[in-house]
Amino acid sequence: MNSQAATFKESTTINYKETGVVWRLSNHFLENIPFDHPNLVFCCIGTDRSTGDALGPMTGSFLTQLSSFPFQIVGTLDNPLHALNIEEITQELINSPLKPYIVAIDACLGNSGNIGQIIVHPGPLYPGKAVKKELSPIGEVSIKAVVNIGGFMEYNVLQSTRLNITFEMGKVISRSLLLAWHRYNLKVINNSNTDRNHN
């Protein structure tokens, strides 16, 4: 897949409990994340001090434990990417010799009927928006997970979110990304074999 061709047509939403969610989510990642980009970076935003906001660092930790997932992961439970360091770290990434393609992952709040949805959309996400913080946008592609209800006392809502939902949603996102990466590699191998056979 050519990295220049990795463009979204529209946002995608899928519930983490849906049948075949890992395969279906990997389809969207495979189609829209340029796995051939020379500096693909996954920024997993949030803090381990809040159960709802731990979605990002939890996903980052899951990804770093996957030895066959070779991309740079910024933001884990051990080293979170949060409001106090995100501006500095983002600037370091942008100033690197090779311009990064950033996939940003974060928790968000929504309507009660949207809890459990994973939203993949083009363009940056706005970290801290749920708790009324003004931080710079980040990412060429955004992956958001609706972990609880928004609209009132957001900080307390994130603090009281069940850890199970952030754990399960983080697991689904990380497994889907790994599957998409493996499927991308198989596609490259198959294309290479096809070219050899034609020659």
Side-chain angles (χ1 to χ4, degrees), residues 26-116:
S26 78
N27 283 336
H28 300 298
F29 292 155
L30 184 63
E31 291 169 2
N32 297 300
I33 294 176
F35 287 105
D36 60 346
H37 193 282
N39 190 18
L40 182 59
V41 181
F42 292 82
C43 287
C44 304
I45 303 158
T47 174
D48 61 339
R49 296 176 181 272
S50 167
T51 52
D53 206 23
L55 181 280
M58 194 170 288
T59 303
S61 289
F62 289 149
L63 289 171
T64 58
Q65 292 165 8
L66 301 171
S67 57
S68 57
F69 195 75
F71 306 102
Q72 182 180 357
I73 310 298
V74 181
T76 63
L77 290 171
D78 191 41
N79 291 296
L81 178 64
H82 49 60
L84 299 180
N85 63 11
I86 191 168
E87 301 280 1
E88 178 185 354
I89 292 175
T90 301
Q91 203 56 49
E92 289 176 3
L93 290 171
I94 293 172
N95 291 338
S96 63
L98 190 59
K99 188 178 186 303
Y101 189 101
I102 296 175
V103 178
I105 302 170
D106 198 3
C108 69
L109 300 175
N111 298 326
S112 59
N114 295 334
I115 294 174

Side-chain angles (χ1 to χ4, degrees), residues 140-156:
E140 278 68 49
V141 174
S142 304
I143 303 171
K144 299 187 294 187
V146 184
V147 298
N148 213 330
I149 302 170
F152 180 70
M153 298 181 67
E154 282 85 354
Y155 182 79
N156 290 335

Side-chain angles (χ1 to χ4, degrees), residues 5 11 18 39 59 112 115 172 177 183 192 197:
S11 297
E18 286 186 26
N39 190 18
T59 303
S112 59
I115 294 174
V172 164
L177 286 168
R183 290 176 65 190
S192 177
N197 290 337

Side-chain angles (χ1 to χ4, degrees), residues 113-129:
N114 295 334
I115 294 174
Q117 288 186 346
I118 297 169
I119 304 162
V120 185
H121 71 84
L125 59 74
Y126 295 82
K129 189 175 181 181

